[in-house]
Amino acid sequence: MTNRDSIKTPLTALAACISAVVLMTACSSLKTPATADVAVSRAAVDNAASAGAADLAPDEMRSAREKMRMANQALKDRDYKTARDLADQAQADAKLAQSKANSAKATSAADEINENIRVMREELDRANQQAPKQ
């Protein structure tokens, strides 16, 4: 056996092992339970609900909850790809609902501040009109 043959054999074996690991990982990722994806999406739906999205963005919350229900069913049916896809969609709907709720709250707060400014200006104008002119 030459020096070159001793180098090729371990490298060939290493390359074969790496290829096998990559192939097994790729195949197993489609079959493993999508419980982590569903859990992350469930947390996003819960966060949106606690942000008031059920009242401020009801359509998006309804969609997120329905997709979560279907993702849970797909998980029970061991249809992990569908469960992942539905969980991702539910998470996107929940984030949209939360964003809409936050936007509605910010708009309401800005409107309230503008109303307070208007009232203060009126009071200031009245006070200036009543003040004696010198």
Side-chain angles (χ1 to χ4, degrees):
M1 178 163 22
T2 66
N3 193 20
R4 221 179 234 160
D5 291 337
S6 64
I7 292 174
K8 284 184 180 178
T9 304
L11 289 178
T12 305
L14 180 62
C17 287
I18 289 172
S19 297
V21 168
V22 168
L23 183 63
M24 288 171 48
T25 302
C27 291
S28 68
S29 68
L30 294 176
K31 295 180 180 177
T32 57
T35 52
D37 296 312
V38 172
V40 168
S41 296
R42 186 176 301 118
V45 171
D46 291 344
N47 288 340
S50 67
D55 295 328
L56 300 170
D59 294 338
E60 290 79 6
M61 278 304 294
R62 194 174 309 111
S63 177
R65 286 180 173 148
E66 177 61 18
K67 288 174 183 171
M68 278 306 305
R69 186 194 63 73
M70 292 188 311
N72 285 323
Q73 185 58 48
L75 195 60
K76 287 178 188 172
D77 295 342
R78 297 178 187 238
D79 185 356
Y80 302 127
K81 182 180 180 335
T82 301
R84 264 192 205 95
D85 291 344
L86 287 167
D88 289 344
Q89 292 173 23
Q91 185 176 4
D93 288 347
K95 286 182 178 181
L96 177 60
Q98 186 170 0
S99 293
K100 282 189 170 187
N102 290 341
S103 177
K105 288 178 184 179
T107 300
S108 177
D111 290 346
E112 186 176 334
I113 289 170
N114 286 332
E115 178 61 19
N116 289 340
I117 290 170
R118 186 191 63 75
V119 168
M120 291 175 76
R121 280 188 179 148
E122 285 178 1
E123 289 176 8
L124 185 59
D125 288 345
R126 257 193 315 267
N128 285 338
Q129 288 174 358
Q130 293 174 356
K133 297 189 179 186
Q134 297 176 350

